[in-house]
Structures are given as C-alpha cells and as structure tokens.
C-alpha cells in the first residue's frame, strides 16, 4: 500500500490536530494510507503535544523564542520539514507569520476561522462574530507569503442566527473538524 506522509504544525489547544489524527493517521483510503510522521510546535507548553502523544505521534518542539529572527526560525522549520520527507504540511492553529523562506519551499495548507477572503489575519473569529453578516464559516487555503491569501481549497458556512459567542465558537470548530481532513485528502489526491 502506498503511504502519503503529512506533518501537522500547531501552537496551542490542538483540537484540529487531534481531529486530523483521529480521522487520518494510519487510516487507509482507496490504495493509500495516510501517515502523520510527526507534529511540530513552536510552543513548548502547547496542550496539543499531549493530545498527539495520546494518539501515537511525537511532537518536535522548535521554540521560536530561542531563534534570533523570524528568518532563522523559518530556516530551521524548513530544514526540519524537509528531513521528514512529507507529501504535505498541514497548519492547524500554527500562530506564526511565515516568511518566503518557508512559503517558497514548503507546500502547505492552513485552516482559518472565517469565510475568506473576509476577515483575514488575527481575531478572525471575533470579527466574524461581531460583523453584520448573516452567515459565517471556515476556509482551508494554500499557504502563500501574503497572510490567509492563498487559493481557497474548501469552505463550510452556517447561519449565524441568534447564536451567542460560545455557541458560535463551537460551531466554527465543528465546521473545521468536518472539513479539514477532507481538504487534506483532496490535496493529497486520495
Ligand atoms: C482554529 O480556530 C483555526 O482556525 C485557527 O486557530 C484555531 C486553532 O484551534 N487557525 P486548535 O488549536 O486546533 O484547537
């Protein structure tokens, strides 16, 4: 059976990381098996580290605070990912702005908690909730040097109705978990 390898990058809670591992790691699809060869975090205290471990995946810690510059961090990140020889890099709540050192070398996708191209960048969830729009949603997109501006791969939207913020946040995460693994399979052409 052919194996398609991915690496997942995260910074905090790791709910998307956990969901991707449950849906994809060592699972067979048609003639392919997906293997999450490693996770990578920039945050030594990220809750996702234990979540990955519980599901049999180790996390490489690259603490950005120990690097002199964004460029030096990205250079090490690129080297680490290249050594893993993956088919795809999956960003799941990886809270670092990436320079062209990364985006020119690594094929990566990201999940963003808004209906892009609306609400790019930080606090997208809050800005989407506060907006006058009647719908909200999530987007999976290619990672390019301009933040949240790569080609859109998959989206899911919902009616905001009279939701309070906690319900809204839960619905965003529910949508993320519904589509992200499907987007990974689509990009891997499985
Ligand atoms: C998600 O809402 C994702 O869209 C954003 O960061 C959040 C990460 O959440 N980029 P988690 O760590 O996967 O729980």
């Amino acid at each position: 059976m052919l194996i398609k390898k991915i690496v997942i990058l995260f910074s905090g809670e790791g709910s998307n990381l956990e969901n991707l591992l449950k849906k994809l790691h060592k699972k067979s699809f048609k003639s392919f098996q997906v293997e999450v060869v490693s996770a990578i975090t920039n945050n030594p205290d990220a809750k996702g580290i234990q979540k990955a471990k519980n599901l049999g995946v180790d996390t490489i810690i690259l603490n950005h605070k120990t690097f002199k510059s964004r460029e030096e961090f990205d250079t090490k990140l690129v080297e680490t990912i290249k050594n893993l020889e993956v088919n795809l890099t999956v960003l799941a709540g990886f809270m670092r702005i990436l320079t062209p050192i990364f985006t020119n070398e690594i094929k990566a996708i990201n999940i963003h908690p808004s209906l892009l191209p609306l609400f790019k960048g930080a606090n997208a969830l809050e800005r989407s909730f506060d907006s006058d729009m009647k719908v909200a949603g999530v987007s999976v997109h290619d990672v390019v040097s301009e933040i949240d501006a790569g080609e859109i791969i998959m989206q899911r939207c919902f009616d905001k109705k009279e939701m309070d913020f906690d319900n809204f946040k839960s619905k965003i995460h529910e949508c993320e978990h519904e589509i992200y693994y499907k987007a990974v399979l689509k990009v891997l052409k499985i």
Side-chain angles (χ1 to χ4, degrees):
M1 169 125 9
L2 290 166
I3 296 180
K4 298 246 182 177
K5 295 179 182 177
I6 63 173
V7 60
I8 303 175
L9 276 53
F10 68 100
S11 296
E13 200 58 46
S15 76
N16 280 286
L17 162 81
E18 185 175 45
N19 191 264
L20 288 169
L21 288 172
K22 284 182 179 166
K23 297 268 176 44
L24 298 175
H25 184 48
K26 297 205 166 148
K27 301 277 187 286
S28 298
F29 303 89
K30 298 178 192 157
S31 52
F32 291 99
Q33 192 181 80
V34 178
E35 192 180 332
V36 181
V37 292
S38 185
I40 299 177
T41 187
N42 63 307
N43 172 13
D45 300 320
K47 297 222 177 81
I49 297 172
Q50 189 59 43
K51 289 184 174 130
K53 204 179 175 87
N54 292 345
L55 292 164
V57 172
D58 287 332
T59 300
I60 298 168
I61 298 171
L62 296 179
N63 185 350
H64 64 278
K65 291 182 184 157
T66 65
F67 292 82
K68 285 197 202 94
S69 64
R70 203 174 278 285
E71 287 72 21
E72 222 176 77
F73 174 78
D74 279 7
T75 302
K76 181 68 182 173
L77 185 58
V78 167
E79 183 195 310
T80 306
I81 292 171
K82 285 199 168 176
N83 282 338
L84 294 169
E85 299 186 330
V86 291
N87 299 95
L88 181 67
T89 296
V90 179
L91 273 54
F94 188 62
M95 308 307 277
R96 298 289 303 158
I97 292 171
L98 294 159
T99 68
I101 291 172
F102 180 96
T103 55
N104 289 342
E105 291 291 328
I106 301 293
K107 179 178 172 52
I109 62 173
N110 180 43
I111 190 148
H112 187 73
S114 79
L115 287 175
L116 290 172
L118 297 172
F119 312 118
K120 290 177 182 170
N123 305 319
L125 203 143
E126 289 78 4
R127 287 185 289 135
S128 168
F129 177 74
D130 289 338
S131 85
D132 290 333
M133 288 185 65
K134 298 288 184 206
V135 293
V138 305
S139 309
V140 178
H141 63 92
D142 283 332
V143 175
V144 295
S145 59
E146 193 187 330
I147 199 153
D148 300 325
E151 191 177 326
I152 294 166
I153 298 160
M154 206 174 274
Q155 290 181 305
R156 174 71 47 100
C157 68
F158 60 90
D159 201 326
K160 280 164 80 178
K161 292 190 186 133
E162 305 286 292
M163 280 182 188
D164 64 21
F165 184 69
D166 284 345
N167 287 337
F168 180 80
K169 202 171 162 182
S170 301
K171 186 71 186 169
I172 288 281
H173 287 305
E174 188 186 309
C175 290
E176 289 182 339
H177 299 169
E178 267 172 33
I179 69 163
Y180 207 7
Y181 78 98
K182 292 180 187 163
V184 171
L185 292 173
K186 184 178 173 193
V187 176
L188 289 173
K189 298 193 170 54
I190 293 179

